[in-house]
């Protein structure tokens, strides 16, 4: 009987693997285009010069990032190369300090600390602005990232990771850019600053 | 005994040692949830957890390599080719793991520059080890692949199982190269990172453990080669047929296009099927041999592997794999519940099973049994499944309170973590982890003394 024959299943395995691999490669090529900065799902790094919001889109049925108007980070509008350099730096800080082994990015990482996907839009920065005595969100974020233990909000503190001011600024740029990535509605119902007002 | 088999024993000793380090660092990570100021500033949560999950990957890899070095010479009827290189690399491997661990514990971080990634910490989950060490692992795995392929060439023969193994090692090693780049764009970084993580645990590793269990099954139950190989091919076809595109279940929310919701949801939902098939296979073979075996621990651990793989990976994975549910379960303790059950069931139980088979031969035992393995089997499995249950409770609460209601802000996160049910889940997880740890201690004790406690073994032997 053919189903008892290992050769039959061996042929089946080889052909299934071949078909699936080809499909995966095709989808990968398409996805890489969509997720490159400036692609259909991921904004260019210069998005940090703009205002970012996260709003319900009734066509797609979930929240999507809405990018509008100028809102330069730290008051300076950056050209493409400078913005890219800042983002590169931010990623290096993220990797060197292993942020992802406490936090999640797009929900991936560790679950000891809050998800950072939309951290740029977190309403809590208003409170931190008051505590750190700063008048912008980005300034409050820099202060917090440089000395998180001092500004802890609850029992579980983020440790001091020796982040310099320059490094903290690159992190803020990174978080702002990330908030503008189209994540198919994750996290759902994010209660961002704008929604409260 | 072949030199390859002596090397296998060394690999098993190293694996079981790292299993211990993994357990201790897991306990530390878990304790952080109960007392967040614990070791803060000395060994922060992320470093403890890095040690936990990296030693996990390393001890399983060592267990797999030990298993293959054990079975290969007997399967192909000759000493493993290039065994001298493998013998040297074993010590290099152990030294590298020790150096990386010391650097993680005492240095922890570098600055935001390439040197930090080369020498201290790469900061990408599961593959945090600095690049120099990752390079070493590539060398070790390439030599390992050479050992297998070279032996087949020198022996001028191969078997179905060894052929599958040889082919499987190629993508397995190539995927590990994803441990090196530092891509700035988080979407692209995670895209490739999931190739590594998913296509390891749900594709290439699944095939590798399939080969190992096939070899073990023939030795343990004397199942015929034809049956074992037929099942292996079926399993490879179904695991890869569903698992390759099942990769899409990690591409729902990382910035990737929405067709992945359909493709990932559909194919990954089918992934449990081959795992169920393996349970049927194992139970069928056990029945066919009337459960007669001369090595009860190996037999029970093999059954635990079949069921654990199906329930932990298949059922627990299925729970969170549809996008409608994953939207809320994603990145919560629910994921941790699945991750523990799956790794334990699919891989750890298999490695322990082979370890007992190896010990039976090296200690020259006609029968392997006794009270100790039963205690460790019970404590390890009850501890782990209990932890999984506790994590599931915490995970439900987190999905509901933080994700669904709260909308995943810092405040929502805190209300989830402070919810009484969540906290109870974390306490229960820790207590059950202590049961697990006790099981580990008994396992080590049993493994060290097996066959040297002659009366205990002899006393049960006549039952066979
Ligand atoms: C003493 C027993 C153990 C304890 C207390 C423990 C504890 C932990 C903790 C606290 C985490 C971090 C989860 C988070 O980010 O919140 C973790 C992660 C992990 N552990 Fe364990 N663990 C134990 C045993 C194991 C075993 C036996 C395995 C595998 C066989 C394992 C595999 C993993 C994996 C894969 C992760 C990453 C999971 C994820 O992030 O989703 N652990 N463990
Ligand atoms: C041996 C097989 C498997 C192992 C060892 C395993 C292990 C893991 C681990 C450790 C994670 C957490 C990854 C991380 O973020 O760090 C994970 C995530 C996941 N697994 Fe598995 N898994 C296996 C099979 C499966 C199967 C068969 C399914 C589906 C039916 C599945 C569905 C998922 C899903 C949906 C996630 C993402 C969870 C999230 O969104 O946070 N897994 N798996
Ligand atoms: Fe997966």
């Amino acid at each position: 009987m053919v189903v008892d024959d290992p050769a039959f299943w061996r042929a089946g395995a080889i052909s299934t693997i071949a078909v699936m691999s080809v499909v995966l490669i095709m989808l990968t090529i398409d996805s890489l285009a969509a997720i490159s900065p400036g692609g259909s799902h991921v904004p260019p790094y210069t998005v940090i010069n703009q205002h970012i919001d996260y709003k319900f889109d009734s066509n797609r049925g979930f929240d999507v990032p809405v990018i509008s108007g100028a809102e330069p980070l730290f008051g300076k509008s950056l050209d493409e190369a400078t913005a890219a350099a800042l983002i590169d730096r931010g990623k290096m800080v993220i990797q060197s300090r292993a942020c992802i082994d406490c936090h999640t990015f797009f929900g991936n990482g560790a679950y000891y600390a809050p998800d950072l996907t939309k951290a740029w839009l977190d309403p809590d920065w208003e409170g931190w602005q008051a505590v750190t005595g700063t008048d912008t969100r980005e300034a409050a974020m820099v202060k917090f990232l440089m000395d998180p233990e001092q500004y802890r909000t609850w029992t579980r503190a983020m440790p001091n990771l020796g982040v310099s001011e320059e490094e903290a600024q690159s992190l803020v740029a990174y978080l702002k850019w990330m908030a503008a990535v189209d994540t198919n509605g994750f996290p759902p119902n994010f209660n961002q600053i704008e929604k409260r007002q | 005994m072949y030199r390859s088999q002596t090397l296998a024993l060394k690999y098993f000793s190293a694996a079981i040692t790292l299993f211990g380090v993994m357990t201790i660092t897991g306990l530390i990570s878990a304790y952080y949830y109960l007392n967040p100021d614990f070791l803060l500033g000395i060994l922060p949560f992320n470093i403890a957890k890095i040690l936990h999950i990296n030693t996990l990957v390393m001890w399983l890899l060592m267990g797999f390599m030990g298993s293959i070095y054990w079975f290969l010479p007997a399967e192909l009827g000759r000493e493993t080719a290039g065994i001298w290189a493998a013998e040297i690399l074993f010590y290099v491997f152990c030294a590298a793991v020790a150096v990386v661990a010391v650097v993680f514990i005492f240095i922890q971080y570098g600055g935001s520059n390439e040197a930090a990634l080369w020498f201290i910490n790469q900061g990408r989950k599961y593959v945090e080890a600095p690049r120099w060490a990752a390079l070493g692992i590539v060398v070790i795995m390439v030599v390992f692949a050479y050992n297998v392929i070279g032996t087949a060439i020198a022996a001028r023969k191969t078997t179905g199982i060894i052929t599958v193994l040889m082919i499987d090692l190629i993508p397995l090693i190539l995927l590990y190269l994803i441990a090196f780049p530092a891509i700035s764009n988080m979407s692209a970084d995670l895209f490739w990172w999931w190739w590594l993580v998913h296509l390891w645990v749900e594709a290439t590793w699944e095939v590798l453990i399939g080969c190992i269990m096939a070899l073990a099954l023939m030795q343990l139950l004397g199942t015929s080669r034809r049956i074992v190989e037929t099942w292996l091919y079926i399993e490879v076809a179904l695991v890869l047929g569903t698992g390759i595109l099942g990769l899409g279940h990690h591409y729902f929310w990382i910035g990737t296009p929405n067709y992945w919701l359909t493709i990932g949801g559909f194919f990954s939902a089918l992934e449990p099927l081959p795992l169920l098939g393996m349970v049927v296979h194992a139970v069928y073979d056990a029945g066919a041999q009337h459960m007669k075996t001369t090595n009860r621990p190996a037999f029970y651990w093999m059954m635990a592997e079949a069921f654990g793989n199906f329930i932990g990976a298949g059922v627990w994975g299925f729970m969170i794999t549809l996008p409608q549910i994953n939207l809320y379960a994603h990145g919560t303790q629910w994921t941790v519940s699945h991750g523990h059950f799956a790794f334990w069931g699919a891989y750890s139980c298999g490695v322990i099973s082979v370890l007992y088979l190896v010990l039976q031969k090296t200690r020259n035992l006609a029968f392997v049994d006794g009270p100790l393995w039963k205690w460790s089997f019970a404590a390890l499995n009850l501890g782990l499944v209990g932890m999984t249950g506790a994590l599931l409770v915490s995970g439900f609460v987190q999905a509901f309170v933080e994700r669904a209601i709260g909308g995943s802000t810092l405040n929502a996160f805190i209300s989830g973590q402070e919810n009484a049910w969540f906290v109870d889940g974390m306490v229960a997880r820790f207590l059950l982890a202590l049961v697990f740890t006790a099981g580990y201690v008994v396992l080590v004790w049993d493994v060290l003394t097996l066959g040297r406690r002659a009366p205990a073994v002899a006393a049960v032997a006549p039952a066979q």
Side-chain angles (χ1 to χ4, degrees):
Chain A
M1 217 170 53
V2 71
V3 291
D4 278 355
D5 185 2
F8 169 78
W9 291 102
R10 188 173 56 211
I14 294 169
S15 36
T16 326
I17 297 167
V19 171
M20 294 301 164
S21 305
V22 169
V23 177
L24 177 62
I25 289 167
M26 281 163 30
L27 291 173
T28 296
I29 294 170
D30 184 76
S31 291
L32 287 178
I35 63 176
S36 63
S40 59
H41 274 60
V42 173
Y45 295 137
T46 46
V47 76
I48 58 175
N49 295 323
Q50 285 180 283
H51 179 74
I52 293 160
D53 195 2
Y54 188 53
K55 281 206 179 113
F56 189 75
D57 178 331
S58 50
N59 283 331
R60 297 179 65 191
F62 46 73
D63 290 342
V64 294
V66 179
I67 298 156
S68 59
E71 190 189 293
L73 192 63
F74 303 110
K76 279 193 299 261
S77 194
L78 304 179
D79 62 31
E80 227 178 283
T82 324
L86 199 59
I87 296 290
D88 290 349
R89 186 73 194 277
K91 181 63 168 14
M92 282 299 235
V93 185
I94 288 170
Q95 281 191 227
S96 65
R97 307 307 199 282
C99 313
I100 204 165
D101 286 298
C102 277
H103 289 278
T104 46
F105 292 77
F106 302 137
N108 299 106
Y111 322 114
Y112 187 69
D115 182 53
L116 295 181
T117 310
K118 303 290 170 192
W120 166 254
L121 301 170
D122 196 312
D124 265 29
W125 296 116
E126 285 179 343
W128 261 312
Q129 244 170 267
V131 179
T132 54
T134 47
D135 46 15
T136 61
R137 189 191 326 171
E138 48 259 49
M141 290 174 85
V142 168
K143 284 241 166 168
F144 171 78
L145 290 168
M146 290 176 68
D147 198 354
E149 272 178 72
Q150 185 188 335
Y151 301 113
R152 67 195 280 177
T153 66
W154 62 312
T155 50
R156 206 181 292 170
M158 168 162 157
N160 231 323
L161 298 167
V163 171
S164 69
E165 182 165 6
E166 205 208 334
E167 286 179 329
Q169 288 171 346
S170 69
L171 286 173
V172 174
Y174 203 91
L175 294 174
K176 185 173 181 185
W177 165 75
M178 251 193 11
V181 172
D182 179 347
T183 51
N184 292 329
F186 179 85
N189 313 317
F190 189 84
N191 178 17
Q192 75 269 32
I193 300 176
E194 317 259 330
K195 269 195 199 154
R196 296 169 113 206
Q197 289 161 351
Chain B
M1 215 162 67
Y2 291 102
R3 273 165 76 185
S4 184
Q5 296 186 318
T6 313
L7 179 63
L9 262 186
K10 288 187 190 152
Y11 264 112
F12 275 106
S13 324
I16 294 299
T17 308
L18 285 181
F19 179 11
V21 178
M22 182 199 84
T23 305
I24 293 166
T25 49
L27 284 173
I28 296 175
S29 313
Y31 191 64
Y32 259 106
Y33 278 90
L34 312 184
N35 176 6
D37 282 330
F38 177 66
L39 299 183
L40 187 76
I42 302 167
L43 191 74
F45 174 86
N46 60 340
I47 302 294
K49 204 210 73 172
I50 287 174
L51 288 165
H52 178 60
I53 59 181
N54 283 259
T55 45
L56 163 70
V57 175
M58 289 306 134
W59 84 261
L60 290 179
L61 274 180
M62 286 182 164
F64 298 156
M65 290 169 66
S67 306
I68 299 296
Y69 282 127
W70 176 262
F71 288 121
L72 187 68
E75 177 79 358
L76 295 182
R78 83 179 292 278
E79 180 63 83
T80 296
I83 188 68
W84 59 274
E87 283 167 351
I88 297 170
L89 285 177
F90 168 76
Y91 293 103
V92 176
F93 199 170
C94 293
V97 169
V99 172
V100 171
V102 166
V103 169
F104 278 153
I105 294 171
F106 294 103
I107 303 186
Q108 302 179 354
Y109 316 108
S112 45
N113 49 46
E114 288 280 335
L117 307 189
W118 275 100
F119 299 107
I120 303 172
N121 191 331
Q122 286 206 70
R124 286 168 83 226
K125 192 177 182 189
Y126 301 113
V127 284
E128 286 90 349
R131 282 182 189 146
W132 72 265
L135 266 180
I137 291 170
V138 172
V139 172
I140 288 161
M141 290 199 304
V142 168
V143 169
F144 173 61
Y146 165 73
N147 289 145
V148 177
I149 296 167
T151 309
I153 293 172
R156 292 176 187 284
K157 87 175 234 206
T158 180
T159 61
I161 300 171
I162 298 298
T163 306
V164 172
L165 173 67
M166 290 191 290
I167 298 174
D168 186 53
L169 287 176
I170 296 166
L172 196 152
I173 294 172
L174 288 178
L175 286 167
Y176 185 70
L177 299 179
I178 298 172
F180 292 90
I183 303 172
S184 293
N185 174 353
M186 188 60 85
S187 294
D189 185 8
L190 288 172
F191 186 90
W192 290 115
W193 178 81
W194 277 117
W195 272 59
L196 170 54
V197 176
H198 173 100
L199 293 179
W200 258 19
V201 301
E202 283 161 71
T204 50
W205 279 30
E206 210 44 271
V207 173
L208 178 56
I209 195 79
C211 294
I212 294 173
M213 289 293 104
L215 292 163
L217 208 54
M218 288 193 302
Q219 181 173 328
L220 181 67
L221 293 176
T223 311
S224 88
R225 183 175 291 276
R226 190 180 162 89
I227 293 182
V228 164
E229 288 194 346
T230 304
W231 275 102
L232 184 64
Y233 293 136
I234 297 177
E235 189 198 313
V236 170
L238 292 181
V239 163
L240 298 182
T242 57
I244 292 177
L245 288 179
L247 173 59
H249 65 180
H250 304 294
Y251 293 163
F252 299 156
W253 330 114
I254 64 165
T256 28
N258 19 358
Y259 50 71
W260 287 112
L261 273 72
T262 322
I263 296 171
F266 178 77
F267 283 96
S268 66
L270 298 176
E271 280 183 50
L273 285 179
L275 308 181
L276 180 62
M278 286 184 240
V279 170
V280 174
H281 176 199
V283 170
Y284 172 84
D285 280 340
Q289 312 299 323
H290 306 289
M291 295 191 42
K292 273 211 191 79
T293 168
T294 57
N295 193 329
R296 295 191 71 196
F299 175 78
Y300 275 84
W301 279 110
M302 188 180 287
M303 287 296 146
E305 196 275 345
F307 280 93
N309 197 355
F310 171 59
I311 300 172
V315 178
W316 252 239
F318 183 82
M319 272 202 277
I320 52 175
T321 208
L322 297 176
Q324 293 82 346
I325 295 170
N326 190 267
L327 180 61
Y328 304 103
H330 182 45
T332 63
Q333 298 297 331
W334 199 341
T335 309
V336 184
S337 175
H338 157 64
H340 279 83
F341 207 160
F343 259 109
W344 177 252
Y347 302 120
S348 309
C349 294
V351 168
I352 299 174
S353 172
V354 177
L355 170 62
Y356 273 103
L357 277 182
V358 169
L359 290 176
Q360 181 172 23
K361 294 269 154 120
T362 56
R363 305 260 166 95
N364 234 330
L365 303 174
F367 299 99
V368 182
D369 205 346
L372 282 184
W373 77 265
K374 289 178 194 149
W375 283 104
S376 83
F377 183 86
L380 283 167
N381 285 303
L382 288 177
L384 192 113
V385 174
M387 273 167 54
T388 303
L391 287 164
L392 196 59
V393 172
S394 294
F396 279 147
V397 173
Q398 198 182 350
F400 192 69
V401 175
E402 179 192 336
R403 294 266 185 265
I405 301 177
S408 308
T409 56
L410 172 60
N411 263 325
F413 177 77
I414 295 176
S415 35
Q417 304 286 310
E418 288 186 337
N419 179 289
W421 283 91
F422 183 95
V423 175
D424 287 349
M426 288 288 121
V427 173
R429 186 263 297 264
F430 188 77
L431 296 177
L432 287 152
L434 295 176
V435 175
F436 180 89
T437 309
Y440 170 77
V441 173
V442 180
L443 175 74
V444 172
W445 184 16
D446 189 35
V447 163
L448 288 176
T449 58
L450 196 73
R452 295 167 184 160
R453 295 169 276 123
V457 179
V460 280
Q464 285 297 328

